[in-house]
Amino acid sequence: MLKVEGLTRLGLGPFDFTVADGECLAITGPSGAGKSVLLRAIADLDPNEGQIATAGMQREAVAAPDWRRAVALLPAESGWWADGVATHFQDARAVRPMLARVGLDQQALDWQVARLSTGERHRLALLRALEQQPQVLLLDEPTTMLDAGTTGMVEDLLKERMDRGLSIVMVTHDAEQPERIASRVMWLENGRLNARAGG
Amino acid sequence: MSNYVSLGYGDLALAAVFLVINGLASIWLGLGLERRLAVAAVRMFVQLSLVGLVLKTLFGLASPWLTGLWIVFMLLFAGREVWARQENQIMGWWGYGIGGGAMALSAGVVAVFALGVLVRPDPWWAPQYFLPLLGMILGNAMNGVSLGLNSLHRAIKRESRAIEAQLMLGATRWQAAGPFLRDALKTGFIPIINAMAATGIVSLPGMMSGQILAGVDPREAVKYQILVMLLIAGSTGIGVMLAAFGSLWRLTDDRHRLRPDRLSASKDGA
């Protein structure tokens, strides 16, 4: 569960919405409307105002690292801080069986980050975020870099996690993606989030 | 000192002959450096001549207040210099204060310790000892701190994605920026380590050479040089550490966010 109340950042908002356990809220809107800014603000990566809570956690009441472990952000472009892929995971052995689920080679953990394609990076970054078992996942253009086949695999994995209670807020430009995966669609424009007829 | 040879201004003018040759070469080769060369040489001449007058006056007056005032001036100038050498500066007074404060603290503590405990002139703050010693310590700390901060600020600007990736996974600001902090500390430390390792074989340090030229027994000059080297290395290390931790503290916030917005844009526009 994710409950956002009166969230403002850089003149955007205030945003108020709730995402239930196992629900996926898709946010669409024109480029530059502030969709990524909104996700970063929820993850508390930029200064912002407002109250946000998950089922057992009030953002203001916990340290920021604890909040981000519970509310994980997968940005449109992932960051990497070491040369080897495996270094970026807490438990590489536990991640290995997951590689096939997102269409990656079994050896992917032994690769060098510099050799990865954008799509490979993105899927590894998703596994890295899921490794923490977050309650809420914030996804910024999760499948833009992927072909139809791998997009399907990633969506299946996300749906499986939603069945186990994961809440998702997803920014997407893919017009059909909300219909496949999202319970609700909202439209962000001029700093306002408006409900929209969705799937 | 009987064998001390005093220099006249004519000697200095003659010594500039080689610089003039460089200037002509710069014009001939189209390097465009002749103007900067001339300005730098004139600045050096004027600054050193003035400082000679100031030191002569301060030594004569032997006033703790005026000595202290000059020390404050030196510290402020060193702080400004560190700030000016940053490719990406922390905006506002912090940019000035973190580097300057770190140097003032490290150089000040080391200089006071050296004079009060080791050299013990009478009085302990005697400007003949305090000012040259502080000058040497501060000059090196200034280099170390500006190199270290430059490296840290660059990393925060350029590697923000890698640092934020760790923050997003629940790392603290110290964990996430740790590798870049360590790089910055190494960058700040290495020149002084190299200087200690190479000294005496190729380069004879300026202070020791000066004492030898002034007629001091080389064995005595060497002892002073070792003392000064140890003080310089110690104070540079402390200064770099204080400045780098202070900078990282300012470039992140208590919600463990990276705040590159507190850095100015690169001077070259990159």
Side-chain angles (χ1 to χ4, degrees):
Chain A
M1 192 273 279
L2 180 76
K3 189 169 189 205
V4 176
E5 286 175 298
L7 179 68
T8 58
R9 156 80 182 152
L10 291 178
L12 300 176
F15 299 111
D16 297 271
F17 56 89
T18 305
V19 185
D21 283 342
E23 193 189 11
C24 172
L25 167 66
I27 296 177
T28 60
S31 296
K35 303 185 292 296
S36 305
V37 174
L38 171 60
L39 293 189
R40 282 179 61 91
I42 296 172
D44 212 1
L45 280 166
D46 293 314
N48 64 88
E49 306 287 327
Q51 270 102 50
I52 310 186
T54 66
M57 208 181 252
Q58 190 76 32
R59 188 176 70 167
E60 300 75 38
V62 298
D66 294 334
W67 175 256
R68 295 189 195 118
R69 269 191 287 271
V71 180
L73 169 62
L74 180 65
E77 279 190 62
S78 51
W80 303 84
W81 59 89
D83 293 336
V85 170
T87 320
H88 297 86
F89 291 86
Q90 291 178 325
D91 184 358
R93 208 174 310 162
V95 171
R96 215 172 277 275
M98 298 296 297
L99 293 169
R101 296 290 315 272
V102 290
L104 283 170
D105 192 280
Q106 283 302 302
Q107 308 304 315
L109 288 175
D110 308 319
W111 292 346
Q112 296 291 301
V113 172
R115 275 190 45 211
L116 300 173
S117 73
T118 320
E120 286 165 343
R121 272 179 211 223
H122 204 73
R123 282 172 282 164
L124 284 165
L126 172 67
L127 294 185
R128 189 172 73 179
L130 286 175
E131 191 187 13
Q132 311 249 15
Q133 306 283 351
Q135 300 174 39
V136 180
L137 191 57
L138 310 170
L139 300 171
D140 197 349
E141 305 277 355
T143 53
T144 308
M145 303 294 174
L146 307 179
D147 59 44
T150 26
T151 296
M153 294 175 95
V154 166
E155 286 175 357
D156 286 344
L157 176 62
L158 292 175
K159 277 187 224 160
E160 183 188 299
R161 293 300 169 104
M162 284 160 66
D163 289 341
R164 286 197 241 151
L166 177 71
S167 306
I168 295 180
V169 179
M170 174 192 286
V171 164
T172 181
H173 273 132
D174 178 347
E176 276 120 52
Q177 188 161 42
E179 285 174 29
R180 292 194 300 266
I181 187 168
S183 339
R184 241 178 340 137
V185 184
M186 292 182 101
W187 178 259
L188 178 63
E189 191 166 16
N190 300 323
R192 293 279 164 183
L193 205 48
N194 292 307
R196 222 191 184 200
Chain B
M1 288 173 217
S2 51
N3 53 355
Y4 178 71
V5 184
S6 188
L7 294 175
Y9 284 97
D11 301 325
L12 298 185
L14 267 178
V17 158
F18 300 103
L19 208 59
V20 171
I21 295 175
N22 288 340
L24 292 175
S26 163
I27 295 170
W28 183 56
L29 295 170
L31 301 181
L33 289 176
E34 60 278 358
R35 225 188 110 78
R36 283 167 63 187
L37 201 62
V39 169
V42 169
R43 262 189 72 166
M44 187 266 300
F45 180 84
V46 172
Q47 283 166 199
L48 286 181
S49 302
L50 284 178
V51 98
L53 288 177
V54 169
L55 291 181
K56 175 84 181 158
T57 313
L58 285 174
F59 294 176
L61 293 171
S63 150
W65 302 112
L66 288 176
T67 307
L69 202 66
W70 183 248
I71 288 169
V72 168
F73 175 75
M74 285 169 74
L75 291 172
L76 288 178
F77 193 84
R80 210 207 85 88
E81 190 67 22
V82 164
W83 176 80
R85 286 190 203 173
Q86 303 303 309
E87 198 182 320
N88 304 107
Q89 296 149 336
I90 295 185
M91 287 191 279
W93 279 100
W94 290 102
Y96 200 96
I98 288 172
M103 281 187 305
L105 204 62
S106 65
V109 166
V110 168
V112 167
F113 171 80
L115 291 174
V117 180
L118 302 172
V119 183
R120 278 182 295 178
D122 182 35
W124 69 268
W125 50 266
Q128 290 91 325
Y129 288 86
F130 205 143
L131 297 180
L133 197 67
L134 185 70
M136 286 186 286
I137 294 174
L138 205 54
N140 284 277
M142 191 172 81
N143 278 329
V145 168
S146 48
L147 286 171
L149 288 187
N150 209 22
S151 154
L152 183 69
H153 295 176
R154 263 168 92 104
I156 291 209
K157 202 89 180 175
R158 296 188 182 180
E159 305 291 335
S160 59
R161 195 170 282 154
I163 297 172
E164 285 200 324
Q166 294 176 80
L167 294 175
M168 287 172 207
L169 294 169
T172 65
R173 49 174 153 170
W174 307 108
Q175 290 165 342
F180 304 107
L181 183 67
R182 281 191 284 278
D183 279 349
L185 294 178
K186 280 188 211 159
T187 309
F189 280 136
I190 279 171
I192 192 66
I193 294 176
N194 289 344
M196 279 200 290
T199 195
I201 299 177
V202 180
S203 63
L204 287 186
M207 174 199 161
M208 180 182 120
S209 314
Q211 282 190 309
I212 294 173
L213 285 177
V216 173
D217 182 332
R219 288 169 302 177
E220 288 302 309
V222 160
K223 273 193 249 169
Y224 255 91
Q225 187 63 54
I226 292 172
L227 174 82
V228 165
M229 271 287 189
L230 292 173
L231 297 177
I232 284 175
S235 131
T236 302
I238 295 169
V240 173
M241 265 190 289
L242 288 174
F245 275 98
S247 240
L248 184 54
W249 171 79
R250 178 63 190 160
L251 292 172
T252 51
D253 66 21
D254 54 0
R255 292 299 291 173
H256 298 270
R257 303 174 185 125
L258 194 63
R259 300 297 299 272
D261 55 308
R262 288 175 178 166
L263 277 177
S264 68
S266 297
K267 284 180 196 162
D268 57 9

